[in-house]
Amino acid sequence: MSALASSSDRAELSSTLTPLRLRGSGRWRGWVLPLAALALWWLSSHLQLVNSALLVSPEKVVATAWEQIESGRLWRALSASLAREATGFLIGTVGGLALGALLGLSPWFNRLVGPSFNTFKQISLFAWIPLISVWFGLGDVAKVVFLSLAALVPVVVNTCDGIRTTPPALLDVARVYRFTRWQTVAQVVLPAALPAIFTGIYLALIYSWLATIGAEYLLVAGAGIGNTLVEGSEHFRMDLVLFGMVVIGGVGWLLNASARVLERRLSRWLGRA
């Protein structure tokens, strides 16, 4: 009996530990491809498999990074880019929430504005660059307008769709309890649409960061990480270009992770409320 008990205990312990092992190994799988790419980059540069003028060594990129940090140029460029991103994201998100709510809640407004907005969202974002540069120049105002457009569209689309897809059963309950229109919107429609609204805001945050780099690269006046790439390409400094790409990817990853954490916390707080 003791032998059977011990074998059953071992089986139970093994079944408990197996998911933990899988979860632990899964956390590290995402590092396999970046580490393999880094190793291939290091070997290619040191074995001179690629022209050194086209692909500099990782050590050179690290030295450039330290130079940019020590001189303060990284912080100046990054702060300028993030300030533009935050401003454009805020303007586009607020405008997108208002427009999306009107399109979703008002059939009259949707018939009036909906067809025009559906046409507007089909236009490629970068197709607006020539018009924006003529109207607003090449400075920060033009870049913020461009970023606002990038953030506006996903927020409008997801907010409107979230409101329109409110489950009919919830609306029936609101009618049974004789909710007013504003009570139905505040207590039924908007809470049901929150997941879609969060998705739109999350996409706006990512799109506005990508648009920040595009705007700085195409509208080259002023400081920014995109201008660091321009400087590197103009002077054929691949170390500066690669450094800028690493910074852009790192900031994008941080924005993505921060948005996910904030969304989970807000969802839990709203659920308790």
Side-chain angles (χ1 to χ4, degrees), residues 156-183:
V156 173
V157 171
N158 283 274
T159 301
C160 182
D161 289 347
I163 290 173
R164 287 181 178 177
T165 55
T166 302
L170 295 179
L171 298 176
D172 291 339
V173 171
R175 280 192 289 269
V176 168
Y177 282 97
R178 297 182 179 180
F179 281 10
T180 65
R181 178 174 176 80
W182 293 113
Q183 284 177 320

PDB file of all heavy atoms in Angstrom, residues 156-183:
ATOM      1  N   VAL A 156     -11.542  55.395 -33.607  1.00  0.00           N
ATOM      2  CA  VAL A 156     -12.893  55.584 -34.133  1.00  0.00           C
ATOM      3  C   VAL A 156     -13.511  54.242 -34.518  1.00  0.00           C
ATOM      4  O   VAL A 156     -14.650  53.925 -34.138  1.00  0.00           O
ATOM      5  CB  VAL A 156     -12.876  56.526 -35.359  1.00  0.00           C
ATOM      6  CG1 VAL A 156     -14.253  56.578 -36.008  1.00  0.00           C
ATOM      7  CG2 VAL A 156     -12.447  57.923 -34.954  1.00  0.00           C
ATOM      8  N   VAL A 157     -12.777  53.441 -35.266  1.00  0.00           N
ATOM      9  CA  VAL A 157     -13.314  52.169 -35.762  1.00  0.00           C
ATOM     10  C   VAL A 157     -13.676  51.242 -34.611  1.00  0.00           C
ATOM     11  O   VAL A 157     -14.778  50.661 -34.567  1.00  0.00           O
ATOM     12  CB  VAL A 157     -12.299  51.503 -36.708  1.00  0.00           C
ATOM     13  CG1 VAL A 157     -12.738  50.083 -37.059  1.00  0.00           C
ATOM     14  CG2 VAL A 157     -12.137  52.332 -37.982  1.00  0.00           C
ATOM     15  N   ASN A 158     -12.780  51.069 -33.645  1.00  0.00           N
ATOM     16  CA  ASN A 158     -13.035  50.132 -32.557  1.00  0.00           C
ATOM     17  C   ASN A 158     -14.102  50.643 -31.594  1.00  0.00           C
ATOM     18  O   ASN A 158     -14.896  49.861 -31.073  1.00  0.00           O
ATOM     19  CB  ASN A 158     -11.738  49.849 -31.811  1.00  0.00           C
ATOM     20  CG  ASN A 158     -10.843  48.887 -32.560  1.00  0.00           C
ATOM     21  OD1 ASN A 158     -10.967  47.686 -32.449  1.00  0.00           O
ATOM     22  ND2 ASN A 158      -9.924  49.438 -33.345  1.00  0.00           N
ATOM     23  N   THR A 159     -14.127  51.953 -31.344  1.00  0.00           N
ATOM     24  CA  THR A 159     -15.170  52.501 -30.476  1.00  0.00           C
ATOM     25  C   THR A 159     -16.549  52.329 -31.102  1.00  0.00           C
ATOM     26  O   THR A 159     -17.508  51.894 -30.436  1.00  0.00           O
ATOM     27  CB  THR A 159     -14.901  53.989 -30.200  1.00  0.00           C
ATOM     28  OG1 THR A 159     -13.621  54.131 -29.570  1.00  0.00           O
ATOM     29  CG2 THR A 159     -15.959  54.575 -29.285  1.00  0.00           C
ATOM     30  N   CYS A 160     -16.666  52.664 -32.368  1.00  0.00           N
ATOM     31  CA  CYS A 160     -17.943  52.527 -33.058  1.00  0.00           C
ATOM     32  C   CYS A 160     -18.392  51.064 -33.105  1.00  0.00           C
ATOM     33  O   CYS A 160     -19.561  50.750 -32.807  1.00  0.00           O
ATOM     34  CB  CYS A 160     -17.817  53.090 -34.470  1.00  0.00           C
ATOM     35  SG  CYS A 160     -19.340  53.036 -35.437  1.00  0.00           S
ATOM     36  N   ASP A 161     -17.480  50.150 -33.453  1.00  0.00           N
ATOM     37  CA  ASP A 161     -17.826  48.729 -33.519  1.00  0.00           C
ATOM     38  C   ASP A 161     -18.201  48.185 -32.141  1.00  0.00           C
ATOM     39  O   ASP A 161     -19.120  47.376 -32.013  1.00  0.00           O
ATOM     40  CB  ASP A 161     -16.660  47.932 -34.092  1.00  0.00           C
ATOM     41  CG  ASP A 161     -16.463  48.187 -35.582  1.00  0.00           C
ATOM     42  OD1 ASP A 161     -17.375  48.783 -36.204  1.00  0.00           O
ATOM     43  OD2 ASP A 161     -15.414  47.805 -36.120  1.00  0.00           O
ATOM     44  N   GLY A 162     -17.475  48.607 -31.096  1.00  0.00           N
ATOM     45  CA  GLY A 162     -17.790  48.139 -29.755  1.00  0.00           C
ATOM     46  C   GLY A 162     -19.172  48.565 -29.298  1.00  0.00           C
ATOM     47  O   GLY A 162     -19.899  47.787 -28.672  1.00  0.00           O
ATOM     48  N   ILE A 163     -19.553  49.785 -29.628  1.00  0.00           N
ATOM     49  CA  ILE A 163     -20.886  50.279 -29.245  1.00  0.00           C
ATOM     50  C   ILE A 163     -21.975  49.546 -30.026  1.00  0.00           C
ATOM     51  O   ILE A 163     -23.015  49.150 -29.475  1.00  0.00           O
ATOM     52  CB  ILE A 163     -20.962  51.792 -29.465  1.00  0.00           C
ATOM     53  CG1 ILE A 163     -20.076  52.522 -28.445  1.00  0.00           C
ATOM     54  CG2 ILE A 163     -22.399  52.298 -29.379  1.00  0.00           C
ATOM     55  CD1 ILE A 163     -19.946  54.011 -28.680  1.00  0.00           C
ATOM     56  N   ARG A 164     -21.742  49.355 -31.324  1.00  0.00           N
ATOM     57  CA  ARG A 164     -22.761  48.716 -32.155  1.00  0.00           C
ATOM     58  C   ARG A 164     -22.967  47.242 -31.832  1.00  0.00           C
ATOM     59  O   ARG A 164     -24.040  46.694 -32.099  1.00  0.00           O
ATOM     60  CB  ARG A 164     -22.380  48.857 -33.630  1.00  0.00           C
ATOM     61  CG  ARG A 164     -22.549  50.253 -34.178  1.00  0.00           C
ATOM     62  CD  ARG A 164     -22.177  50.276 -35.642  1.00  0.00           C
ATOM     63  NE  ARG A 164     -22.379  51.594 -36.234  1.00  0.00           N
ATOM     64  CZ  ARG A 164     -22.071  51.887 -37.490  1.00  0.00           C
ATOM     65  NH1 ARG A 164     -21.568  50.947 -38.281  1.00  0.00           N
ATOM     66  NH2 ARG A 164     -22.283  53.095 -37.958  1.00  0.00           N
ATOM     67  N   THR A 165     -21.957  46.585 -31.300  1.00  0.00           N
ATOM     68  CA  THR A 165     -22.060  45.152 -31.015  1.00  0.00           C
ATOM     69  C   THR A 165     -22.447  44.878 -29.557  1.00  0.00           C
ATOM     70  O   THR A 165     -22.175  43.789 -29.053  1.00  0.00           O
ATOM     71  CB  THR A 165     -20.722  44.452 -31.333  1.00  0.00           C
ATOM     72  OG1 THR A 165     -19.659  45.097 -30.603  1.00  0.00           O
ATOM     73  CG2 THR A 165     -20.418  44.502 -32.812  1.00  0.00           C
ATOM     74  N   THR A 166     -23.050  45.843 -28.892  1.00  0.00           N
ATOM     75  CA  THR A 166     -23.562  45.606 -27.544  1.00  0.00           C
ATOM     76  C   THR A 166     -24.587  44.467 -27.587  1.00  0.00           C
ATOM     77  O   THR A 166     -25.506  44.491 -28.416  1.00  0.00           O
ATOM     78  CB  THR A 166     -24.234  46.867 -26.987  1.00  0.00           C
ATOM     79  OG1 THR A 166     -23.297  47.942 -26.985  1.00  0.00           O
ATOM     80  CG2 THR A 166     -24.743  46.639 -25.575  1.00  0.00           C
ATOM     81  N   PRO A 167     -24.463  43.449 -26.760  1.00  0.00           N
ATOM     82  CA  PRO A 167     -25.395  42.313 -26.803  1.00  0.00           C
ATOM     83  C   PRO A 167     -26.842  42.766 -26.639  1.00  0.00           C
ATOM     84  O   PRO A 167     -27.166  43.537 -25.726  1.00  0.00           O
ATOM     85  CB  PRO A 167     -24.953  41.441 -25.615  1.00  0.00           C
ATOM     86  CG  PRO A 167     -23.510  41.782 -25.422  1.00  0.00           C
ATOM     87  CD  PRO A 167     -23.396  43.233 -25.774  1.00  0.00           C
ATOM     88  N   PRO A 168     -27.729  42.323 -27.515  1.00  0.00           N
ATOM     89  CA  PRO A 168     -29.148  42.727 -27.404  1.00  0.00           C
ATOM     90  C   PRO A 168     -29.770  42.352 -26.060  1.00  0.00           C
ATOM     91  O   PRO A 168     -30.675  43.050 -25.584  1.00  0.00           O
ATOM     92  CB  PRO A 168     -29.816  41.972 -28.555  1.00  0.00           C
ATOM     93  CG  PRO A 168     -28.712  41.693 -29.530  1.00  0.00           C
ATOM     94  CD  PRO A 168     -27.487  41.503 -28.702  1.00  0.00           C
ATOM     95  N   ALA A 169     -29.302  41.248 -25.432  1.00  0.00           N
ATOM     96  CA  ALA A 169     -29.873  40.845 -24.142  1.00  0.00           C
ATOM     97  C   ALA A 169     -29.664  41.926 -23.092  1.00  0.00           C
ATOM     98  O   ALA A 169     -30.545  42.171 -22.249  1.00  0.00           O
ATOM     99  CB  ALA A 169     -29.237  39.534 -23.687  1.00  0.00           C
ATOM    100  N   LEU A 170     -28.496  42.606 -23.122  1.00  0.00           N
ATOM    101  CA  LEU A 170     -28.247  43.674 -22.158  1.00  0.00           C
ATOM    102  C   LEU A 170     -29.185  44.862 -22.402  1.00  0.00           C
ATOM    103  O   LEU A 170     -29.672  45.491 -21.458  1.00  0.00           O
ATOM    104  CB  LEU A 170     -26.786  44.128 -22.254  1.00  0.00           C
ATOM    105  CG  LEU A 170     -25.728  43.096 -21.854  1.00  0.00           C
ATOM    106  CD1 LEU A 170     -24.343  43.685 -22.021  1.00  0.00           C
ATOM    107  CD2 LEU A 170     -25.938  42.636 -20.420  1.00  0.00           C
ATOM    108  N   LEU A 171     -29.429  45.164 -23.666  1.00  0.00           N
ATOM    109  CA  LEU A 171     -30.345  46.262 -23.981  1.00  0.00           C
ATOM    110  C   LEU A 171     -31.775  45.914 -23.553  1.00  0.00           C
ATOM    111  O   LEU A 171     -32.526  46.799 -23.107  1.00  0.00           O
ATOM    112  CB  LEU A 171     -30.294  46.562 -25.477  1.00  0.00           C
ATOM    113  CG  LEU A 171     -28.930  47.035 -26.010  1.00  0.00           C
ATOM    114  CD1 LEU A 171     -28.981  47.204 -27.519  1.00  0.00           C
ATOM    115  CD2 LEU A 171     -28.515  48.335 -25.343  1.00  0.00           C
ATOM    116  N   ASP A 172     -32.126  44.630 -23.683  1.00  0.00           N
ATOM    117  CA  ASP A 172     -33.458  44.215 -23.231  1.00  0.00           C
ATOM    118  C   ASP A 172     -33.607  44.387 -21.722  1.00  0.00           C
ATOM    119  O   ASP A 172     -34.666  44.823 -21.227  1.00  0.00           O
ATOM    120  CB  ASP A 172     -33.706  42.755 -23.616  1.00  0.00           C
ATOM    121  CG  ASP A 172     -33.862  42.574 -25.123  1.00  0.00           C
ATOM    122  OD1 ASP A 172     -34.169  43.571 -25.815  1.00  0.00           O
ATOM    123  OD2 ASP A 172     -33.661  41.443 -25.609  1.00  0.00           O
ATOM    124  N   VAL A 173     -32.543  44.053 -20.987  1.00  0.00           N
ATOM    125  CA  VAL A 173     -32.584  44.222 -19.532  1.00  0.00           C
ATOM    126  C   VAL A 173     -32.745  45.703 -19.185  1.00  0.00           C
ATOM    127  O   VAL A 173     -33.510  46.069 -18.275  1.00  0.00           O
ATOM    128  CB  VAL A 173     -31.310  43.640 -18.885  1.00  0.00           C
ATOM    129  CG1 VAL A 173     -31.237  44.019 -17.404  1.00  0.00           C
ATOM    130  CG2 VAL A 173     -31.287  42.137 -19.041  1.00  0.00           C
ATOM    131  N   ALA A 174     -32.022  46.577 -19.910  1.00  0.00           N
ATOM    132  CA  ALA A 174     -32.142  48.020 -19.661  1.00  0.00           C
ATOM    133  C   ALA A 174     -33.566  48.505 -19.907  1.00  0.00           C
ATOM    134  O   ALA A 174     -34.091  49.348 -19.165  1.00  0.00           O
ATOM    135  CB  ALA A 174     -31.152  48.776 -20.542  1.00  0.00           C
ATOM    136  N   ARG A 175     -34.215  47.972 -20.948  1.00  0.00           N
ATOM    137  CA  ARG A 175     -35.595  48.369 -21.220  1.00  0.00           C
ATOM    138  C   ARG A 175     -36.546  47.864 -20.135  1.00  0.00           C
ATOM    139  O   ARG A 175     -37.481  48.559 -19.741  1.00  0.00           O
ATOM    140  CB  ARG A 175     -36.018  47.842 -22.597  1.00  0.00           C
ATOM    141  CG  ARG A 175     -35.531  48.686 -23.758  1.00  0.00           C
ATOM    142  CD  ARG A 175     -36.209  48.299 -25.048  1.00  0.00           C
ATOM    143  NE  ARG A 175     -35.739  46.993 -25.513  1.00  0.00           N
ATOM    144  CZ  ARG A 175     -34.709  46.835 -26.332  1.00  0.00           C
ATOM    145  NH1 ARG A 175     -34.044  47.892 -26.771  1.00  0.00           N
ATOM    146  NH2 ARG A 175     -34.337  45.625 -26.709  1.00  0.00           N
ATOM    147  N   VAL A 176     -36.287  46.644 -19.642  1.00  0.00           N
ATOM    148  CA  VAL A 176     -37.131  46.100 -18.577  1.00  0.00           C
ATOM    149  C   VAL A 176     -37.058  46.975 -17.338  1.00  0.00           C
ATOM    150  O   VAL A 176     -38.079  47.244 -16.675  1.00  0.00           O
ATOM    151  CB  VAL A 176     -36.717  44.650 -18.254  1.00  0.00           C
ATOM    152  CG1 VAL A 176     -37.382  44.174 -16.956  1.00  0.00           C
ATOM    153  CG2 VAL A 176     -37.080  43.724 -19.401  1.00  0.00           C
ATOM    154  N   TYR A 177     -35.864  47.447 -17.012  1.00  0.00           N
ATOM    155  CA  TYR A 177     -35.694  48.305 -15.830  1.00  0.00           C
ATOM    156  C   TYR A 177     -35.995  49.771 -16.130  1.00  0.00           C
ATOM    157  O   TYR A 177     -35.786  50.630 -15.270  1.00  0.00           O
ATOM    158  CB  TYR A 177     -34.266  48.166 -15.292  1.00  0.00           C
ATOM    159  CG  TYR A 177     -34.059  46.903 -14.501  1.00  0.00           C
ATOM    160  CD1 TYR A 177     -33.506  45.774 -15.096  1.00  0.00           C
ATOM    161  CD2 TYR A 177     -34.416  46.831 -13.164  1.00  0.00           C
ATOM    162  CE1 TYR A 177     -33.325  44.608 -14.383  1.00  0.00           C
ATOM    163  CE2 TYR A 177     -34.238  45.672 -12.438  1.00  0.00           C
ATOM    164  CZ  TYR A 177     -33.693  44.559 -13.044  1.00  0.00           C
ATOM    165  OH  TYR A 177     -33.515  43.399 -12.329  1.00  0.00           O
ATOM    166  N   ARG A 178     -36.446  50.041 -17.342  1.00  0.00           N
ATOM    167  CA  ARG A 178     -36.849  51.389 -17.745  1.00  0.00           C
ATOM    168  C   ARG A 178     -35.723  52.413 -17.576  1.00  0.00           C
ATOM    169  O   ARG A 178     -35.925  53.514 -17.056  1.00  0.00           O
ATOM    170  CB  ARG A 178     -38.085  51.833 -16.961  1.00  0.00           C
ATOM    171  CG  ARG A 178     -39.308  50.969 -17.242  1.00  0.00           C
ATOM    172  CD  ARG A 178     -40.526  51.466 -16.502  1.00  0.00           C
ATOM    173  NE  ARG A 178     -41.690  50.633 -16.798  1.00  0.00           N
ATOM    174  CZ  ARG A 178     -42.906  50.834 -16.291  1.00  0.00           C
ATOM    175  NH1 ARG A 178     -43.101  51.873 -15.465  1.00  0.00           N
ATOM    176  NH2 ARG A 178     -43.898  50.045 -16.602  1.00  0.00           N
ATOM    177  N   PHE A 179     -34.542  52.024 -18.025  1.00  0.00           N
ATOM    178  CA  PHE A 179     -33.427  52.966 -18.035  1.00  0.00           C
ATOM    179  C   PHE A 179     -33.709  54.076 -19.024  1.00  0.00           C
ATOM    180  O   PHE A 179     -34.303  53.852 -20.082  1.00  0.00           O
ATOM    181  CB  PHE A 179     -32.135  52.259 -18.443  1.00  0.00           C
ATOM    182  CG  PHE A 179     -31.486  51.465 -17.345  1.00  0.00           C
ATOM    183  CD1 PHE A 179     -32.124  51.221 -16.139  1.00  0.00           C
ATOM    184  CD2 PHE A 179     -30.208  50.959 -17.515  1.00  0.00           C
ATOM    185  CE1 PHE A 179     -31.533  50.498 -15.144  1.00  0.00           C
ATOM    186  CE2 PHE A 179     -29.592  50.232 -16.522  1.00  0.00           C
ATOM    187  CZ  PHE A 179     -30.254  49.988 -15.322  1.00  0.00           C
ATOM    188  N   THR A 180     -33.278  55.283 -18.688  1.00  0.00           N
ATOM    189  CA  THR A 180     -33.296  56.366 -19.670  1.00  0.00           C
ATOM    190  C   THR A 180     -32.202  56.107 -20.701  1.00  0.00           C
ATOM    191  O   THR A 180     -31.368  55.210 -20.545  1.00  0.00           O
ATOM    192  CB  THR A 180     -33.051  57.717 -18.994  1.00  0.00           C
ATOM    193  OG1 THR A 180     -31.721  57.730 -18.454  1.00  0.00           O
ATOM    194  CG2 THR A 180     -34.067  57.961 -17.881  1.00  0.00           C
ATOM    195  N   ARG A 181     -32.211  56.914 -21.764  1.00  0.00           N
ATOM    196  CA  ARG A 181     -31.197  56.731 -22.818  1.00  0.00           C
ATOM    197  C   ARG A 181     -29.785  56.900 -22.256  1.00  0.00           C
ATOM    198  O   ARG A 181     -28.890  56.122 -22.554  1.00  0.00           O
ATOM    199  CB  ARG A 181     -31.444  57.716 -23.955  1.00  0.00           C
ATOM    200  CG  ARG A 181     -30.395  57.629 -25.066  1.00  0.00           C
ATOM    201  CD  ARG A 181     -30.754  58.510 -26.243  1.00  0.00           C
ATOM    202  NE  ARG A 181     -29.719  58.496 -27.258  1.00  0.00           N
ATOM    203  CZ  ARG A 181     -29.542  57.540 -28.160  1.00  0.00           C
ATOM    204  NH1 ARG A 181     -30.357  56.503 -28.166  1.00  0.00           N
ATOM    205  NH2 ARG A 181     -28.580  57.612 -29.056  1.00  0.00           N
ATOM    206  N   TRP A 182     -29.600  57.921 -21.427  1.00  0.00           N
ATOM    207  CA  TRP A 182     -28.263  58.175 -20.894  1.00  0.00           C
ATOM    208  C   TRP A 182     -27.851  57.107 -19.885  1.00  0.00           C
ATOM    209  O   TRP A 182     -26.679  56.745 -19.793  1.00  0.00           O
ATOM    210  CB  TRP A 182     -28.208  59.570 -20.274  1.00  0.00           C
ATOM    211  CG  TRP A 182     -28.361  60.646 -21.293  1.00  0.00           C
ATOM    212  CD1 TRP A 182     -29.400  61.516 -21.422  1.00  0.00           C
ATOM    213  CD2 TRP A 182     -27.456  60.931 -22.365  1.00  0.00           C
ATOM    214  NE1 TRP A 182     -29.207  62.331 -22.510  1.00  0.00           N
ATOM    215  CE2 TRP A 182     -28.025  62.001 -23.106  1.00  0.00           C
ATOM    216  CE3 TRP A 182     -26.248  60.400 -22.778  1.00  0.00           C
ATOM    217  CZ2 TRP A 182     -27.409  62.543 -24.233  1.00  0.00           C
ATOM    218  CZ3 TRP A 182     -25.623  60.926 -23.906  1.00  0.00           C
ATOM    219  CH2 TRP A 182     -26.206  61.992 -24.605  1.00  0.00           C
ATOM    220  N   GLN A 183     -28.817  56.583 -19.125  1.00  0.00           N
ATOM    221  CA  GLN A 183     -28.488  55.478 -18.224  1.00  0.00           C
ATOM    222  C   GLN A 183     -28.094  54.239 -19.014  1.00  0.00           C
ATOM    223  O   GLN A 183     -27.162  53.519 -18.637  1.00  0.00           O
ATOM    224  CB  GLN A 183     -29.698  55.158 -17.331  1.00  0.00           C
ATOM    225  CG  GLN A 183     -29.920  56.144 -16.202  1.00  0.00           C
ATOM    226  CD  GLN A 183     -31.167  55.810 -15.398  1.00  0.00           C
ATOM    227  OE1 GLN A 183     -32.202  55.425 -15.956  1.00  0.00           O
ATOM    228  NE2 GLN A 183     -31.064  55.963 -14.088  1.00  0.00           N
TER     229      GLN A 183
END
